[in-house]
Coordinates of all heavy atoms in Angstrom, one line a residue:
M588 N 26.7 124.3 59.3 CA 27.8 125.3 59.0 C 27.3 126.7 59.5 O 26.2 127.1 59.1 CB 28.1 125.3 57.5 CG 29.5 125.8 57.2 SD 29.8 125.8 55.5 CE 29.8 124.0 55.1
P589 N 28.1 127.4 60.3 CA 27.6 128.7 60.8 C 27.5 129.7 59.7 O 28.3 129.7 58.8 CB 28.7 129.1 61.8 CG 29.8 128.2 61.6 CD 29.4 127.0 60.8
L590 N 26.5 130.5 59.8 CA 26.3 131.6 58.8 C 26.6 132.9 59.4 O 26.4 133.1 60.6 CB 24.8 131.6 58.3 CG 24.4 130.4 57.6 CD1 22.9 130.5 57.2 CD2 25.2 130.2 56.3
T591 N 27.1 133.8 58.6 CA 27.5 135.1 59.2 C 27.2 136.2 58.1 O 26.8 135.9 57.0 CB 29.0 135.1 59.5 OG1 29.4 136.3 60.1 CG2 29.9 134.9 58.3
T592 N 27.4 137.4 58.4 CA 27.2 138.5 57.5 C 28.5 138.8 56.8 O 29.6 138.9 57.4 CB 26.7 139.8 58.2 OG1 25.5 139.5 58.9 CG2 26.5 140.9 57.3
C593 N 28.5 138.9 55.5 CA 29.7 139.1 54.7 C 30.2 140.5 55.0 O 29.5 141.5 54.9 CB 29.3 139.0 53.2 SG 30.7 139.3 52.1
D594 N 31.5 140.6 55.3 CA 32.1 141.9 55.5 C 32.3 142.7 54.3 O 32.4 144.0 54.3 CB 33.5 141.7 56.1 CG 33.5 141.3 57.6 OD1 32.4 141.4 58.2 OD2 34.6 141.0 58.1
L595 N 32.2 142.1 53.1 CA 32.5 142.7 51.9 C 31.3 143.3 51.2 O 31.3 144.5 50.8 CB 33.3 141.8 50.9 CG 34.6 141.2 51.5 CD1 35.2 140.2 50.6 CD2 35.6 142.3 51.8
C596 N 30.2 142.5 51.2 CA 29.0 143.0 50.5 C 27.9 143.3 51.5 O 26.8 143.9 51.1 CB 28.5 142.0 49.4 SG 27.8 140.5 50.1
G597 N 28.0 142.9 52.8 CA 27.1 143.2 53.8 C 25.8 142.3 53.8 O 24.9 142.5 54.6
K598 N 25.8 141.3 52.9 CA 24.6 140.4 52.9 C 24.8 139.3 53.9 O 25.9 138.8 54.2 CB 24.4 139.9 51.5 CG 24.0 140.9 50.6 CD 23.6 140.3 49.2 CE 23.1 141.4 48.3 NZ 23.3 141.1 46.9
K599 N 23.6 138.8 54.4 CA 23.7 137.6 55.3 C 23.8 136.3 54.5 O 23.4 136.3 53.3 CB 22.4 137.6 56.1 CG 22.4 138.7 57.2 CD 21.3 138.5 58.2 CE 21.4 139.6 59.3 NZ 20.1 140.2 59.6
G600 N 24.3 135.3 55.2 CA 24.3 134.0 54.5 C 25.7 133.5 54.1 O 25.9 132.5 53.5
A601 N 26.7 134.3 54.5 CA 28.1 133.9 54.3 C 28.4 132.7 55.2 O 27.9 132.6 56.3 CB 29.1 135.0 54.5
R602 N 29.2 131.7 54.6 CA 29.5 130.5 55.4 C 30.9 130.6 55.9 O 31.8 131.1 55.3 CB 29.4 129.3 54.5 CG 27.9 128.9 54.1 CD 27.9 127.7 53.2 NE 26.5 127.5 52.8 CZ 25.9 128.1 51.8 NH1 26.6 129.0 51.1 NH2 24.7 127.9 51.5
V603 N 31.0 130.0 57.1 CA 32.4 129.9 57.7 C 32.8 128.4 57.6 O 32.2 127.5 58.1 CB 32.4 130.3 59.2 CG1 33.8 130.2 59.7 CG2 31.9 131.7 59.3
R604 N 33.9 128.2 56.9 CA 34.5 126.9 56.7 C 35.8 126.9 57.5 O 36.5 127.9 57.6 CB 34.9 126.6 55.3 CG 33.7 126.3 54.4 CD 34.2 126.1 52.9 NE 35.0 127.2 52.4 CZ 36.2 127.1 51.9 NH1 36.8 126.0 51.8 NH2 36.8 128.2 51.4
R605 N 36.2 125.7 58.1 CA 37.4 125.6 58.8 C 38.4 124.9 57.9 O 38.1 123.8 57.3 CB 37.2 124.7 60.0 CG 36.3 125.3 61.0 CD 37.0 126.4 61.8 NE 36.0 127.1 62.7 CZ 36.4 127.9 63.7 NH1 37.7 128.1 63.9 NH2 35.5 128.5 64.4
V606 N 39.5 125.5 57.7 CA 40.5 124.9 56.7 C 41.9 124.8 57.4 O 42.1 125.5 58.5 CB 40.7 125.8 55.4 CG1 39.4 126.0 54.7 CG2 41.3 127.1 55.8
T607 N 42.8 124.1 56.8 CA 44.2 124.0 57.3 C 45.0 124.9 56.4 O 44.9 124.8 55.2 CB 44.7 122.6 57.2 OG1 43.9 121.7 58.1 CG2 46.1 122.5 57.6
R608 N 45.7 125.8 57.0 CA 46.6 126.7 56.2 C 48.0 126.4 56.5 O 48.4 126.0 57.6 CB 46.3 128.1 56.5 CG 44.9 128.4 56.2 CD 44.4 129.8 55.8 NE 45.4 130.7 55.3 CZ 45.1 131.5 54.3 NH1 44.0 131.5 53.7 NH2 46.0 132.5 54.0
S609 N 48.9 126.5 55.5 CA 50.3 126.2 55.7 C 51.1 127.5 55.5 O 50.7 128.3 54.7 CB 50.8 125.1 54.8 OG 50.8 125.5 53.4
Y610 N 52.1 127.6 56.3 CA 53.0 128.7 56.3 C 54.4 128.2 56.2 O 54.8 127.3 56.9 CB 52.8 129.6 57.5 CG 51.4 130.1 57.6 CD1 50.4 129.3 58.3 CD2 51.0 131.3 57.0 CE1 49.1 129.8 58.3 CE2 49.7 131.7 57.1 CZ 48.8 131.0 57.7 OH 47.5 131.4 57.8
A611 N 55.2 128.8 55.3 CA 56.6 128.3 55.1 C 57.5 129.3 55.7 O 57.3 130.6 55.6 CB 56.9 128.2 53.6
R612 N 58.5 128.8 56.4 CA 59.6 129.7 56.9 C 60.9 129.0 56.6 O 61.2 127.9 57.2 CB 59.4 129.8 58.4 CG 60.4 130.8 59.0 CD 60.0 131.2 60.4 NE 58.8 132.1 60.3 CZ 58.8 133.4 60.8 NH1 59.8 133.8 61.4 NH2 57.7 134.1 60.6
G613 N 61.6 129.4 55.6 CA 62.8 128.7 55.1 C 62.3 127.4 54.5 O 61.4 127.3 53.8
N614 N 63.0 126.3 55.0 CA 62.6 125.0 54.5 C 61.5 124.4 55.4 O 60.9 123.4 55.1 CB 63.8 124.0 54.6 CG 64.8 124.3 53.5 OD1 64.4 124.7 52.4 ND2 66.0 124.1 53.7
A615 N 61.2 125.0 56.5 CA 60.2 124.5 57.5 C 58.8 124.9 57.1 O 58.6 126.1 56.8 CB 60.6 124.9 58.9
E616 N 57.9 124.0 57.1 CA 56.5 124.3 56.8 C 55.8 124.1 58.2 O 56.1 123.2 58.9 CB 56.0 123.4 55.8 CG 54.8 124.0 55.0 CD 54.5 123.3 53.8 OE1 55.2 122.3 53.4 OE2 53.5 123.6 53.1
F617 N 54.8 125.0 58.3 CA 54.1 125.0 59.6 C 52.6 125.1 59.3 O 52.2 125.8 58.4 CB 54.6 126.3 60.3 CG 53.8 126.7 61.5 CD1 53.6 125.8 62.6 CD2 53.2 127.9 61.6 CE1 52.9 126.2 63.7 CE2 52.4 128.3 62.7 CZ 52.3 127.4 63.7
L618 N 51.8 124.2 59.9 CA 50.4 124.1 59.6 C 49.6 124.7 60.7 O 49.9 124.5 61.9 CB 49.9 122.7 59.4 CG 50.6 121.9 58.3 CD1 49.9 120.5 58.2 CD2 50.5 122.5 56.9
I619 N 48.5 125.4 60.4 CA 47.5 125.8 61.4 C 46.2 125.2 60.9 O 45.7 125.5 59.8 CB 47.4 127.3 61.5 CG1 48.7 128.0 61.8 CG2 46.4 127.7 62.6 CD1 48.7 129.5 61.9
R620 N 45.7 124.4 61.8 CA 44.4 123.7 61.5 C 43.2 124.5 62.0 O 43.3 125.2 63.1 CB 44.4 122.3 62.0 CG 45.3 121.4 61.3 CD 45.1 119.9 61.7 NE 45.9 119.1 60.9 CZ 46.7 118.1 61.4 NH1 46.7 117.8 62.6 NH2 47.4 117.3 60.5
G621 N 42.1 124.4 61.4 CA 40.8 124.9 61.9 C 40.7 126.4 61.7 O 39.9 127.1 62.4
V622 N 41.4 127.0 60.7 CA 41.3 128.4 60.5 C 40.0 128.7 59.8 O 39.6 128.1 58.8 CB 42.5 128.9 59.5 CG1 42.4 130.4 59.2 CG2 43.8 128.6 60.2
P623 N 39.2 129.7 60.4 CA 37.9 130.0 59.8 C 38.0 130.9 58.5 O 38.6 131.9 58.6 CB 37.1 130.7 60.9 CG 38.2 131.2 61.8 CD 39.4 130.4 61.6
V624 N 37.5 130.4 57.4 CA 37.5 131.2 56.2 C 36.0 131.5 55.9 O 35.2 130.6 55.9 CB 38.1 130.4 55.0 CG1 38.0 131.2 53.7 CG2 39.5 130.1 55.3
V625 N 35.7 132.7 55.7 CA 34.3 133.1 55.3 C 34.2 133.1 53.8 O 35.0 133.7 53.1 CB 34.1 134.6 55.9 CG1 32.6 135.0 55.6 CG2 34.3 134.6 57.4
S626 N 33.1 132.4 53.3 CA 32.9 132.3 51.9 C 31.5 132.9 51.7 O 30.5 132.4 52.3 CB 32.9 130.9 51.4 OG 34.1 130.3 51.6
C627 N 31.4 133.8 50.8 CA 30.1 134.5 50.5 C 29.5 134.0 49.2 O 30.1 134.2 48.2 CB 30.3 136.0 50.6 SG 28.7 136.9 50.2
P628 N 28.3 133.5 49.2 CA 27.7 133.1 47.9 C 27.1 134.2 47.1 O 26.9 134.1 46.0 CB 26.5 132.1 48.4 CG 26.2 132.6 49.8 CD 27.4 133.1 50.4
H629 N 27.0 135.4 47.8 CA 26.4 136.6 47.1 C 27.5 137.2 46.2 O 27.3 137.5 45.0 CB 25.8 137.6 48.1 CG 24.8 137.0 48.9 ND1 23.6 136.5 48.5 CD2 24.8 136.7 50.3 CE1 22.9 136.0 49.4 NE2 23.6 136.1 50.6
C630 N 28.6 137.5 46.8 CA 29.7 138.2 46.0 C 30.8 137.3 45.6 O 31.7 137.7 44.8 CB 30.2 139.4 46.8 SG 31.1 139.0 48.3
G631 N 30.7 136.0 46.0 CA 31.7 135.1 45.6 C 33.1 135.2 46.2 O 34.0 134.5 45.8
E632 N 33.2 136.0 47.2 CA 34.5 136.2 47.8 C 34.8 135.2 49.0 O 33.8 134.8 49.6 CB 34.7 137.6 48.4 CG 34.7 138.7 47.3 CD 36.0 138.7 46.5 OE1 37.0 138.2 47.0 OE2 36.0 139.1 45.3
S633 N 36.0 134.9 49.2 CA 36.4 134.2 50.4 C 37.5 135.0 51.1 O 38.4 135.5 50.4 CB 37.1 132.8 50.0 OG 36.1 132.0 49.5
Y634 N 37.4 135.1 52.4 CA 38.4 136.0 53.1 C 38.5 135.5 54.5 O 37.7 134.8 55.1 CB 37.9 137.4 53.0 CG 36.6 137.7 53.7 CD1 36.6 138.1 55.1 CD2 35.4 137.6 53.1 CE1 35.4 138.4 55.7 CE2 34.2 137.8 53.7 CZ 34.2 138.2 55.0 OH 33.0 138.4 55.7
L635 N 39.6 136.0 55.2 CA 39.8 135.8 56.6 C 39.5 137.1 57.2 O 39.8 138.2 56.7 CB 41.3 135.5 56.9 CG 41.9 134.3 56.1 CD1 43.3 134.0 56.6 CD2 41.0 133.0 56.4
T636 N 38.8 137.1 58.4 CA 38.5 138.4 59.1 C 39.8 138.9 59.7 O 40.8 138.2 59.9 CB 37.5 138.1 60.2 OG1 38.1 137.3 61.2 CG2 36.2 137.5 59.7
A637 N 39.7 140.2 60.1 CA 40.9 140.9 60.7 C 41.2 140.2 62.0 O 42.4 140.0 62.3 CB 40.6 142.4 60.9
E638 N 40.2 139.7 62.7 CA 40.5 139.0 64.0 C 41.2 137.7 63.7 O 42.1 137.3 64.5 CB 39.1 138.8 64.7 CG 39.2 138.3 66.1 CD 37.9 137.9 66.6 OE1 36.8 138.4 66.2 OE2 37.8 137.1 67.5
T639 N 40.8 137.0 62.7 CA 41.5 135.7 62.3 C 42.9 136.0 62.0 O 43.8 135.3 62.4 CB 40.7 135.0 61.2 OG1 39.4 134.8 61.6 CG2 41.4 133.7 60.8
L640 N 43.2 137.0 61.2 CA 44.5 137.4 60.8 C 45.4 137.7 62.0 O 46.6 137.3 62.1 CB 44.5 138.5 59.8 CG 43.9 138.2 58.4 CD1 43.8 139.4 57.6 CD2 44.8 137.2 57.7
R641 N 44.8 138.4 63.0 CA 45.5 138.7 64.2 C 45.9 137.5 65.0 O 47.0 137.3 65.5 CB 44.7 139.7 65.1 CG 45.0 141.1 64.9 CD 44.5 141.9 66.1 NE 43.1 141.7 66.4 CZ 42.1 142.4 65.8 NH1 42.4 143.2 64.8 NH2 40.9 142.1 66.1
E642 N 44.9 136.6 65.1 CA 45.1 135.3 65.8 C 46.2 134.5 65.1 O 47.0 133.8 65.8 CB 43.8 134.6 65.9 CG 43.9 133.2 66.6 CD 44.4 133.3 68.1 OE1 44.5 134.4 68.6 OE2 44.6 132.2 68.6
I643 N 46.2 134.4 63.8 CA 47.2 133.7 63.0 C 48.6 134.3 63.3 O 49.6 133.6 63.5 CB 46.9 133.7 61.5 CG1 45.7 132.8 61.2 CG2 48.1 133.3 60.7 CD1 45.2 132.9 59.8
E644 N 48.7 135.6 63.3 CA 50.0 136.3 63.6 C 50.5 135.9 65.0 O 51.6 135.6 65.3 CB 49.9 137.8 63.5 CG 49.8 138.3 62.1 CD 51.0 137.7 61.2 OE1 52.1 137.8 61.6 OE2 50.7 137.2 60.2
R645 N 49.5 135.8 66.0 CA 49.9 135.4 67.3 C 50.3 134.0 67.4 O 51.4 133.7 68.0 CB 48.6 135.6 68.2 CG 48.9 135.5 69.7 CD 47.6 135.4 70.5 NE 46.9 134.2 70.4 CZ 47.2 133.1 71.1 NH1 48.1 133.1 72.0 NH2 46.5 132.0 70.9
I646 N 49.7 133.1 66.7 CA 50.1 131.7 66.7 C 51.4 131.5 66.0 O 52.3 130.8 66.5 CB 49.0 130.8 65.9 CG1 47.7 130.8 66.7 CG2 49.5 129.4 65.7 CD1 46.5 130.1 66.0
K647 N 51.7 132.3 64.9 CA 53.0 132.2 64.2 C 54.1 132.6 65.2 O 55.2 132.1 65.2 CB 53.0 133.0 62.9 CG 52.2 132.3 61.8 CD 51.8 133.2 60.7 CE 52.9 133.5 59.8 NZ 52.4 134.4 58.6
L648 N 53.8 133.7 65.9 CA 54.8 134.3 66.8 C 55.1 133.3 67.9 O 56.3 133.2 68.3 CB 54.2 135.6 67.4 CG 55.2 136.7 67.9 CD1 56.0 137.2 66.7 CD2 54.3 137.8 68.4
H649 N 54.2 132.6 68.4 CA 54.4 131.7 69.5 C 54.3 130.2 69.1 O 54.0 129.3 69.9 CB 53.3 131.9 70.6 CG 53.3 133.3 71.1 ND1 54.2 133.8 71.9 CD2 52.4 134.3 70.9 CE1 54.0 135.1 72.2 NE2 52.9 135.4 71.6
R650 N 54.7 130.0 67.8 CA 54.5 128.6 67.3 C 55.3 127.6 68.0 O 54.9 126.4 68.1 CB 54.8 128.6 65.8 CG 56.2 128.8 65.4 CD 56.4 129.0 63.9 NE 57.7 129.3 63.5 CZ 58.3 130.4 63.7 NH1 57.7 131.4 64.2 NH2 59.6 130.6 63.4
H651 N 56.5 128.0 68.6 CA 57.4 127.0 69.2 C 56.7 126.5 70.5 O 56.9 125.4 70.9 CB 58.7 127.6 69.5 CG 59.5 127.9 68.3 ND1 59.8 127.0 67.4 CD2 59.9 129.1 67.8 CE1 60.5 127.5 66.4 NE2 60.5 128.8 66.6
Q652 N 55.9 127.4 71.2 CA 55.2 127.0 72.4 C 53.9 126.3 72.0 O 53.5 125.4 72.7 CB 54.9 128.2 73.3 CG 56.1 128.9 73.9 CD 56.5 130.1 73.1 OE1 56.8 129.9 71.9 NE2 56.7 131.2 73.7
L653 N 53.2 126.7 71.0 CA 51.9 126.3 70.7 C 51.8 125.0 69.8 O 50.8 124.3 69.9 CB 51.1 127.4 70.0 CG 50.8 128.7 70.8 CD1 50.2 129.7 70.0 CD2 50.0 128.3 72.0
A654 N 52.8 124.8 68.9 CA 52.7 123.8 68.0 C 53.3 122.5 68.5 O 54.2 122.5 69.3 CB 53.4 124.2 66.7
V655 N 52.7 121.4 68.1 CA 53.3 120.1 68.4 C 53.8 119.4 67.1 O 53.2 119.7 66.1 CB 52.2 119.1 69.1 CG1 51.8 119.7 70.5 CG2 51.0 119.0 68.2
Q656 N 54.8 118.7 67.3 CA 55.4 118.0 66.1 C 54.6 116.8 65.8 O 54.3 116.0 66.7 CB 56.8 117.6 66.4 CG 57.8 118.7 66.6 CD 58.1 119.5 65.3 OE1 57.9 119.0 64.2 NE2 58.5 120.8 65.5
Q657 N 54.1 116.6 64.6 CA 53.4 115.4 64.2 C 53.9 115.0 62.8 O 54.2 115.8 62.0 CB 51.9 115.8 64.0 CG 51.2 116.1 65.3 CD 49.7 116.4 65.0 OE1 49.2 116.3 63.9 NE2 49.0 116.7 66.1
P658 N 54.0 113.6 62.7 CA 54.3 113.2 61.3 C 53.2 113.4 60.4 O 52.0 113.3 60.8 CB 54.6 111.7 61.5 CG 53.8 111.3 62.7 CD 53.7 112.6 63.6
I659 N 53.5 113.8 59.2 CA 52.4 114.1 58.2 C 52.7 113.6 56.9 O 53.9 113.6 56.4 CB 52.2 115.7 58.2 CG1 51.0 116.0 57.3 CG2 53.4 116.4 57.7 CD1 50.5 117.4 57.4
A660 N 51.8 112.9 56.2 CA 51.9 112.4 54.9 C 51.7 113.5 53.9 O 50.7 114.3 54.0 CB 50.9 111.3 54.6
V661 N 52.6 113.7 53.0 CA 52.6 114.8 52.0 C 52.6 114.2 50.6 O 53.4 113.4 50.3 CB 53.8 115.7 52.2 CG1 53.7 116.9 51.1 CG2 53.8 116.3 53.6
A662 N 51.6 114.6 49.8 CA 51.5 114.2 48.4 C 51.7 115.5 47.6 O 51.2 116.5 48.0 CB 50.2 113.5 48.1
Q663 N 52.4 115.3 46.5 CA 52.5 116.4 45.6 C 51.5 116.3 44.5 O 51.4 115.3 43.8 CB 53.9 116.4 45.0 CG 54.2 117.5 44.0 CD 54.2 118.9 44.6 OE1 54.9 119.1 45.7 NE2 53.5 119.8 44.1
Y664 N 50.7 117.3 44.3 CA 49.7 117.4 43.2 C 50.5 117.5 41.9 O 51.3 118.4 41.8 CB 48.7 118.5 43.4 CG 47.7 118.7 42.3 CD1 46.6 117.9 42.3 CD2 47.9 119.6 41.3 CE1 45.6 118.0 41.3 CE2 47.0 119.7 40.3 CZ 45.8 118.9 40.3 OH 44.9 119.0 39.3
S665 N 50.2 116.6 40.9 CA 51.0 116.7 39.7 C 50.2 117.1 38.5 O 50.8 117.1 37.4 CB 51.7 115.3 39.5 OG 50.7 114.3 39.4
G666 N 49.0 117.4 38.6 CA 48.2 117.8 37.5 C 48.6 119.2 37.1 O 49.3 119.9 37.8
T667 N 48.0 119.7 36.0 CA 48.4 121.0 35.5 C 47.4 122.0 36.1 O 47.7 123.2 36.0 CB 48.3 121.1 34.0 OG1 47.1 120.6 33.5 CG2 49.5 120.3 33.4
E668 N 46.3 121.6 36.6 CA 45.3 122.6 37.3 C 45.0 122.1 38.6 O 45.0 120.9 38.9 CB 44.1 122.7 36.4 CG 44.4 123.4 35.1 CD 43.1 123.8 34.3 OE1 42.0 123.8 34.9 OE2 43.3 124.0 33.1
Ligands
ZN1425 ZN1 29.6 139.0 50.1

């Protein structure tokens, strides 16, 4: 897992995880896979960098050209937490 410097506390050793994020527009849901999330063990924060947020905005704007339709299995979490 790649390590980076935390933007929030400035310490080294923050981890970058790749996650799938979902965005809703009306009834349509749209997924972006592989979004890098920085998690810092020192200050406990998780965040997206400004560059990542810009790229997500670009993908959302061009989603009709960039996204492919795929069938996806969806389960509803039914627990209380
Ligand atoms: Zn930190």
Side-chain angles (χ1 to χ4, degrees):
M588 206 180 292
L590 296 178
T591 186
T592 301
C593 178
D594 282 353
L595 302 175
C596 70
K598 290 187 180 154
K599 286 191 177 134
R602 288 179 185 82
V603 180
R604 289 179 299 128
R605 297 280 174 167
V606 304
T607 299
R608 302 205 21 138
S609 70
Y610 299 89
R612 184 163 289 238
N614 286 330
E616 206 167 358
F617 168 60
L618 302 183
I619 305 178
R620 290 189 174 135
V622 177
V624 176
V625 182
S626 300
C627 177
H629 302 294
C630 65
E632 293 291 334
S633 293
Y634 63 93
L635 305 183
T636 66
E638 191 185 336
T639 300
L640 292 171
R641 265 199 306 277
E642 178 63 7
I643 287 172
E644 285 309 309
R645 192 189 72 84
I646 292 170
K647 284 162 80 175
L648 205 61
H649 299 290
R650 67 190 180 284
H651 295 299
Q652 293 94 307
L653 295 173
V655 293
Q656 297 289 338
Q657 291 182 0
I659 185 166
V661 178
Q663 179 67 48
Y664 179 81
S665 58
T667 52
E668 292 190 17

